[in-house]
Amino acid sequence: MSNQVAISNKVAISNKVAILLDAQNVHFQSETQVIALLQFAKKYGKPSYVKAYAGSIELNKWASIWDKWGIECRWVQASASHKNDADKKIKADCMHYILPNPEISTVILLSKDGGFSKLVSQFQSHGKKVIIVTQSWNQTSEKLQKRVGLEGFYALNQVEKMFSRFNNT
């Protein structure tokens, strides 16, 4: 019986979800999309590490909404000389907090940037499911699309429609 308890406890603690939003890369159009994303994530487990990486433009527009829904904001420089600061912070946080954490079983990355394909491979090699949510299919790096396949790739408006259908039933 103690083995059953240990197994069920392991399943319970390894069902956490990390959500990483490259807000300079993928842009919400409404608060409904924020809510839809969080509901979508719950299909895979409990959102436990939820961060938006954004410059002052995105923070001015979205910080209060993200805060309302429990999304922590990580400020990044937004200038030509700091073009990849969001990517660097996302990657650093992933190496420090997500990759070594066996409790996080799913990572939802909102980005269209092919520079994340190596990170996606690292997640997968650690047994983590990776889902890419992006603005649109045709603007997203083919590297990312190939890494996760069709079953791991969603457009933000698709996630919003799934949420709307769920709420209307």
Side-chain angles (χ1 to χ4, degrees), residues 65-154:
I65 292 171
W66 290 336
D67 188 51
K68 174 181 173 181
W69 293 102
I71 299 172
E72 182 182 328
C73 298
R74 295 263 294 151
W75 181 81
V76 297
Q77 266 304 357
S79 68
S81 61
H82 295 275
K83 185 176 180 245
N84 293 318
D85 275 9
D87 296 3
K88 289 174 186 171
K89 280 189 179 182
I90 290 170
K91 290 174 183 176
D93 284 356
C94 288
M95 299 308 270
H96 193 311
Y97 300 109
I98 296 172
L99 274 173
N101 187 341
E103 294 181 350
I104 296 176
S105 60
T106 303
V107 177
I108 299 174
L109 175 63
L110 285 85
S111 185
K112 63 182 180 183
D113 190 343
F116 287 114
S117 68
K118 182 179 177 187
L119 182 63
V120 168
S121 290
Q122 289 175 307
F123 286 144
Q124 291 168 332
S125 71
H126 280 79
K128 299 179 189 304
K129 179 175 185 59
V130 180
I131 298 164
I132 302 295
V133 178
T134 188
Q135 210 73 50
S136 74
W137 301 70
N138 58 357
Q139 293 178 351
T140 302
S141 159
E142 286 185 34
K143 285 182 184 179
L144 277 181
Q145 291 180 35
K146 288 178 182 176
R147 288 272 185 229
V148 297
L150 286 176
E151 69 281 351
F153 190 83
Y154 295 87

Side-chain angles (χ1 to χ4, degrees), residues 18-39:
I19 303 171
L20 305 155
L21 166 61
D22 181 350
Q24 295 178 316
N25 199 293
V26 174
H27 308 282
F28 287 112
Q29 302 303 311
S30 67
E31 185 173 0
T32 303
Q33 285 185 329
V34 174
I35 298 165
L37 174 68
L38 295 170
Q39 290 299 317

Side-chain angles (χ1 to χ4, degrees), residues 3-17 42 44-48 101-106:
N3 284 345
Q4 276 185 317
V5 172
I7 290 170
S8 65
N9 284 343
K10 185 176 181 182
V11 171
I13 64 168
S14 66
N15 202 23
K16 293 185 178 179
V17 176
K42 287 180 183 178
Y44 301 97
K46 180 183 180 196
S48 64
N101 187 341
E103 294 181 350
I104 296 176
S105 60
T106 303

Side-chain angles (χ1 to χ4, degrees), residues 48-62:
S48 64
Y49 187 95
V50 185
K51 299 205 185 313
Y53 299 78
S56 56
I57 294 169
E58 297 86 15
L59 287 174
N60 286 340
K61 186 173 182 180
W62 290 100

